[in-house]
Amino acid sequence: MHSPESFPPAPAALLQGLNPEQLAAVTLPAGHALILAGAGSGKTRVLTTRIAWLLSTGHATPGGILAVTFTNKAAKEMLTRLSAMLPINVRGMWIGTFHGLCNRMLRAHHKLAGLPQSFQILDTQDQLSAVKRLCKQFNVDEERFPPKQLAYFIAGCKEEGLRPRDVEVHDSDTRKKVELYQLYEEQCQREGVVDFGELMLRSFELLRDNDPVRVHYQRRFRHILVDEFQDTNRLQYAWLKQLAGDVVDGRLVTQGGVIAVGDDDQSIYAFRGARVGNMQDFVREFDVRHQIKLEQNYRSYSNILDSANALIAHNSRRLGKNLRTTQGPGEPVRVYEAPTDLAEAQWIVDEIRQLVREGPMPRSEIAVLYRSNAQSRVIESALFNASVPYRVYGGLRFFERAEIKHALAYLRLLENPHDDTSFMRVVNFPPRGIGARTLEQLQDAARGSGCSLHDAVSSVPGKAGANLGAFVAMVDVMREQTQGRNLRAIIGQVLESSGLLEHYRNEKEGADRLENLDELISAAESFVTQEGFGRDAVALPLDETGAALTQSPASQGLDPNRPLLQQPLVDTDTGETLSPLAAFLTHAALEAGDNQAQAGQDAVQLMTVHASKGLEFDCVFIGGMEEGLFPHENAMSDQGGLEEERRLMYVAITRARKRLYLSHAQTRLLHGQTRYNVRSRFFDELPEEALKWLTPRQQGFGSYAPDSRAASAYGAGARAGFGFNAAAFASPPVPPRKEEPAHGLRVGLAVFHTKFGEGKVLAIEGQGDDARAQVHFPRHGTKWLALSVAKLTVVE
DNA sequence: GTTAGCAAGCTTTTT
DNA sequence: GCTTGCTAAC
């Protein structure tokens, strides 16, 4: 390494425009540091500039840096920004998600980790079906032990770093669960598959139990950067600790530096194992010398920031941080109270149309956020009726679609015939006369001889056995036919010979699915070109110094422009690389693809508050600001729950740059029942001077008052949760939806049908009892309805 | 092998 | 109340 004096100065352009805190963070001296980065404080910029600074000053080589994120999106963003900042290549850099990096490590040391090199990765769906299969196999009472819950239990154990033998057992139910956890582990091992949790845990154990490997990586990664540190779980923290150094005499002795960037106020994933406490632990255990707060916000006007600051101040146990801006107050935060959820949606849409017309504001700069997905429907429907283009985030991602998973299952069987999860998925899809009874026989046989389904096929007699044999033979033929061919050809061949294409061609609604399968080929194609698979696959230089573990293909042959994360994964002992197919399957499992619907035109953005984290918009609507919804009733069982809801609200508020709208409805249709909701307590935690009430602020009714009767009813844990029953009060704030007489309809009116939802009146015919109306429903098409029968309500 | 009908669930979610 | 996923019947 260089001596400190020999470091060249950083290029001036790199550090230009950084504020003092950012500059301090970027140029931190060696050692561990915690950076508390508030919303909109330029966190990603600091992170990437830090890396660029380390590299350009010679403090580090690309191979000596490890930067880890939670999402592929964040990792990509970092790589993109970094390559824009520095002309040097990013070769040798480990920048990726926790799971992506673990995957890489496990492929490289698969023998030590006890895995086949081409192990496949189970996503959450796959994991659940594997658990279901296991439960059937061992006759588990699925009433007492729902597979879903078991899968959740297993994932939870792994997140805590617990193997079956480590789990404390106090009751018989837990004992049974642990037993099944153990059996599940054996099943996965036999099949050569790992789930997401296993990826992390196995990688951790690899480091913990193999001194040379651990020492190698410790020596190599002198600079570790962690993004969104507040979201790390116990296992991820332990993994980082392994990489950072060893515990000697109870003290952590480290050689490099870990820079953790996070914001405790934006910790919104405790429900899936995130542990904010890791931040405090980090400061203590790593003996952190430098703590830097990034509080300068470059995103929002001060009315918005003041609101966020005031709200979050109600949380206890904060590390303490206050956002500030040099921008003016900006517009007030607008608050609206609607009589119903429908009216709220309508108001949002009206407001959006006005913004677009008069702003003029691009629709893509307008976001509607909500606490739970169920809330999107009313808003979607209102937008649809007003012909406002919108885009909903969330839902099925590309690689999670059924037809894609089918195709991938065939591909996995090519790689590994013993992958029983994939076997079961497609053994009778498309249908080939292999029924449930046959499969039961097959599974019994497999369990009897402790082998895979594939190997048990020959022991099933008769016609059933012949059908199974034909399936296996078909897959074998496919494997032979695709030998040595490129990825595109392999997938094309498999889609054809499996009968998938044929099947969907004959299906009425199969056009979309065929299109998606086509898309799969394109995805494989671009994977190959981007990653350079197929041609000159080169081994990965694990160590720039050519240390023992490296196979060292030197540095030639690697394309500096392609992200190393996705370069061929290599066995460090043999130099053996993954086949393009296996690599593609890994890619498919680790990166489920876009989860946003129809991209394209300028559209209003709809998403949950969780999904909005990390994004920003000129204008943000937050709907459903009601007790029970936001904060959500299910989150309120403990103090921590409320605080997490508050952080969630904090995240939501800080998404807005210029304009923020908060709205709530007095009544809302939820689970088929009209609920009378009280205004969210969060309103009472916002600074009055930053707000503008578009509707009169009501006292008593519709407001959350900690000492009121209402609150004590909640405190007592009223059955109804937060939605109070009309009967509980002398008079409800607003009468429930009124039914209009048939003659109240006009062409063009928006109406609500109890079965078909909201629609638009296209035509009206007839008189009195014969009156009929033609109504278009976005979800059910156009229908003629007899007004004397159909229950239609006019939507305000 | 497809379709209808019924029961269950219903906060947030990435890998 | 609505959607989804599974069983049961055609």
Side-chain angles (χ1 to χ4, degrees), chain A residues 196-224:
Chain A
F196 286 132
E198 188 69 24
L199 226 36
M200 234 18 266
L201 184 50
R202 202 60 87 107
S203 172
F204 164 75
E205 290 170 344
L206 172 78
L207 291 169
R208 185 194 59 191
D209 302 337
N210 296 278
D211 296 349
V213 177
R214 185 181 61 255
V215 168
H216 164 79
Y217 284 108
Q218 285 175 353
R219 281 189 46 221
R220 178 173 171 193
F221 297 128
R222 294 300 170 93
H223 299 277
I224 297 176

Side-chain angles (χ1 to χ4, degrees), chain A residues 642-712:
Chain A
L642 176 61
E643 297 214 345
E644 178 141 322
E645 293 292 300
R646 196 175 278 117
R647 291 193 292 269
L648 201 48
M649 182 65 195
Y650 175 79
V651 168
I653 292 175
T654 52
R655 298 309 97 198
R657 280 194 283 254
K658 297 178 182 157
R659 235 176 216 251
L660 177 62
Y661 291 92
L662 310 176
S663 62
H664 66 107
Q666 294 171 332
T667 72
R668 181 176 295 274
L669 215 48
L670 196 66
H671 304 326
Q673 278 182 328
T674 307
R675 305 215 326 186
Y676 298 85
N677 287 331
V678 170
R679 178 172 77 213
S680 171
R681 71 187 69 193
F682 293 152
F683 282 114
D684 303 324
E685 300 175 355
L686 298 177
E688 195 57 46
E689 60 278 13
L691 306 183
K692 178 179 176 188
W693 297 78
L694 302 179
T695 42
R697 178 177 193 171
Q698 301 205 15
Q699 291 300 325
F701 263 126
S703 96
Y704 172 81
D707 300 323
S708 74
R709 224 180 98 220
S712 54

Side-chain angles (χ1 to χ4, degrees), chain A residues 463-485:
Chain A
K463 180 131 189 299
N467 284 344
L468 284 170
F471 170 72
V472 168
M474 180 190 74
V475 176
D476 287 343
V477 168
M478 268 191 239
R479 191 177 300 113
E480 240 163 74
Q481 280 176 336
T482 54
Q483 211 57 251
R485 304 187 58 189

Side-chain angles (χ1 to χ4, degrees), chain A residues 406 428-431 495-496 498-508 510 513-514:
Chain A
H406 282 133
N428 197 35
F429 193 93
L495 291 182
E496 197 56 65
S498 64
L500 279 177
L501 289 182
E502 177 72 13
H503 179 262
Y504 288 122
R505 273 197 286 258
N506 294 331
E507 200 174 63
K508 278 161 278 167
R513 299 187 183 271
L514 283 174

Side-chain angles (χ1 to χ4, degrees), chain A residues 317-397:
Chain A
R317 300 191 298 254
R318 291 177 62 218
L319 294 177
K321 189 171 46 41
N322 225 28
L323 294 177
R324 50 167 200 272
T325 178
T326 53
Q327 300 196 70
E331 300 179 46
V333 175
R334 293 168 168 82
V335 182
Y336 183 80
E337 177 178 45
T340 67
D341 49 347
L342 261 58
E344 183 194 33
Q346 196 52 54
W347 170 76
I348 291 176
V349 172
D350 290 344
E351 206 68 33
I352 288 176
R353 297 179 75 175
Q354 198 178 334
L355 281 167
V356 172
R357 215 176 324 119
E358 294 167 17
M361 186 172 286
R363 277 184 284 267
S364 58
E365 278 302 333
I366 303 175
V368 183
L369 310 184
Y370 34 81
R371 173 67 240 268
S372 63
N373 283 306
Q375 288 167 257
S376 76
R377 298 195 48 220
V378 214
I379 297 164
E380 274 188 71
S381 150
L383 285 166
F384 182 90
N385 287 325
S387 316
V388 178
Y390 64 91
R391 190 192 298 178
V392 189
Y393 284 73
L396 267 198
R397 339 261 287 303

